[in-house]
Amino acid sequence: MGFLNKISIKSRLFLLVGLPLLFMSVFAGLEIKKLYGEVQSLNLLNARIELLKEQYVISSQVHTLKTEKLVGDIESNELNALSEAINRAFLLLPSAFSQSEKEGAENILKEMGEAKVELLSTSKEDLKDWSVWFDDLVSQFLITFEKNRVSTGNIDIEKNTEVLYQLQWLSFWAQEENWFIHQYKETNNNEFKQLLSTVIERQQLFIDRFIAISASPKQIDLLLKTFANPAFADSYKLREGILTEIMEESEIATGLQAFNDRFTLIQQVVQEVSISLVDDIKTTTTEIKTLMSVYLAAILLSMIIMCYLGTNLSRRILFYLSRVSKRCQN
């Protein structure tokens, strides 16, 4: 109390008005900082989804180039499309990863560019090794996404992001199966039959993970409806024919087309989940920005009101104290 008695009345009034406003501003500021961090994380995640789309383009173009190389010559427009996709992916890296995370992804994309150049001089005999090299790069790229997770503070968005990653892996292994079948058709090498069994198991693994860990009933229903497409049955028929060595020549062309259709269907599921996730991110970002605006408006309005009321109160108190002081002197 002795300390307070030493403080002037004006200072006490200032503290009475200013301290609550200061504490409120600090807490609101901390909340705004937290919300701003969430917006930054959502923007980062949105950029990663765009980067995943480019990864799909890269994988698709490489698959096309490999199959062209396997049976003949590479078309220049396909090679140009691959170069453009890699360049677009490079441009997205700064907004998709932090500085420390970006280096690994950048090195992978650089190596993809080197592999693209080397493909032109790769012989059919060496195409298998080249394919293993590039597939490993794609796998590393996908692992980079999963390893450097983005914390958004929104459980649903993070869960749907996990779903998207599982679908990307499913798409990757479906494309691998397609490639092994093309190689088996051209070389009749039983090694590809063994590899085929491996990728089938991996696809099943990611389907199980998709259903058991992350997916919502709506997403599971979407995948089941996709699997009900006749293309899946036709592709399974070719797969079984290769594994059992019981198939007719006429089934091969139908089965290969079915594999292409199946991959397209899986990618449509990926795209639908991706679009839904982007919409959720945009909606959440808008809500957070609105909340930040409300906090800022509340702080500003509180400051104006408290300053106005505090000033009036101070004037009145000081006025009455002045009158009391004059009366005491008289």
Side-chain angles (χ1 to χ4, degrees), residues 34-288:
K34 176 188 172 186
L35 293 173
Y36 178 76
E38 290 179 5
V39 170
Q40 293 297 98
S41 296
L42 289 169
N43 289 336
L44 190 72
L45 183 58
N46 196 47
R48 289 193 182 184
I49 294 171
E50 291 299 317
L51 188 56
L52 274 175
K53 291 178 183 177
E54 294 303 332
Q55 180 271 323
Y56 159 69
V57 175
I58 291 170
S59 295
S60 297
Q61 292 299 331
V62 167
H63 179 73
T64 301
L65 289 167
K66 287 191 300 186
T67 51
E68 286 178 354
K69 187 78 172 179
L70 191 63
V71 298
D73 295 325
I74 292 174
E75 293 186 13
S76 59
N77 59 333
E78 297 289 349
L79 200 62
N80 291 336
L82 175 59
S83 299
E84 290 171 2
I86 293 174
N87 289 336
R88 288 194 300 269
F90 263 115
L91 294 175
L92 285 168
L93 282 181
S95 56
F97 292 101
S98 65
Q99 190 62 36
S100 58
E101 298 168 344
K102 187 180 71 171
E103 186 178 354
E106 200 170 52
N107 291 335
I108 293 171
L109 287 176
K110 284 180 181 178
E111 196 168 345
M112 283 183 177
E114 294 169 3
K116 178 208 69 177
V117 174
E118 193 167 318
L119 178 60
L120 293 171
S121 58
T122 301
S123 64
K124 288 184 181 181
E125 292 74 21
D126 295 330
L127 189 58
K128 174 180 173 291
D129 292 334
W130 184 93
S131 179
V132 170
W133 175 27
F134 202 94
D135 291 341
D136 182 59
L137 291 174
V138 173
S139 178
Q140 288 180 45
F141 201 56
L142 290 174
I143 290 172
T144 301
F145 284 89
E146 291 192 303
K147 185 172 65 175
N148 301 299
R149 297 181 182 275
V150 179
S151 178
T152 62
N154 187 304
I155 295 175
D156 290 335
I157 287 178
E158 291 179 5
K159 189 175 180 180
N160 287 332
T161 302
E162 182 65 25
V163 168
L164 183 61
Y165 290 159
Q166 300 304 315
L167 288 172
Q168 287 286 357
W169 278 110
L170 178 61
S171 176
F172 171 72
W173 291 117
Q175 200 170 51
E176 283 288 272
E177 182 181 7
N178 191 325
W179 169 238
F180 290 149
I181 286 176
H182 274 89
Q183 289 184 97
Y184 178 78
K185 174 178 172 290
E186 291 297 321
T187 64
N188 204 31
N189 188 338
N190 285 330
E191 178 187 358
F192 296 114
K193 287 174 61 177
Q194 297 173 356
L195 293 171
L196 197 59
S197 299
T198 302
V199 296
I200 291 170
E201 291 174 2
R202 288 179 177 174
Q203 286 179 77
Q204 187 59 50
L205 171 65
F206 281 100
I207 291 172
D208 292 342
R209 286 177 63 181
F210 173 84
I211 294 173
I213 300 174
S214 309
S216 66
K218 182 180 178 181
Q219 291 164 342
I220 293 173
D221 185 56
L222 174 63
L223 193 64
L224 291 175
K225 285 180 179 178
T226 302
F227 283 175
N229 190 285
F232 281 82
D234 291 339
S235 66
Y236 295 153
K237 189 175 181 181
L238 176 60
R239 174 204 287 173
E240 290 302 315
I242 291 173
L243 293 175
T244 59
E245 297 184 354
I246 302 173
M247 62 178 174
E248 297 180 6
E249 190 67 27
S250 59
E251 294 176 342
I252 296 177
T254 303
L256 287 173
Q257 183 57 48
F259 266 102
N260 292 333
D261 294 342
R262 191 183 77 163
F263 177 73
T264 302
L265 289 167
I266 292 174
Q267 198 54 41
Q268 286 175 0
V269 176
V270 174
Q271 187 175 10
E272 189 165 337
V273 172
S274 178
I275 291 171
S276 175
L277 181 55
V278 169
D279 289 341
D280 288 345
I281 290 173
K282 288 180 179 178
T283 301
T284 305
T285 301
T286 302
E287 290 174 353
I288 291 175

Side-chain angles (χ1 to χ4, degrees), residues 4-19:
L4 291 175
N5 290 332
K6 294 178 182 179
I7 301 175
S8 66
I9 294 176
K10 285 185 179 181
S11 298
R12 293 182 195 181
L13 290 173
F14 176 77
L15 291 174
L16 180 65
V17 175
L19 282 179

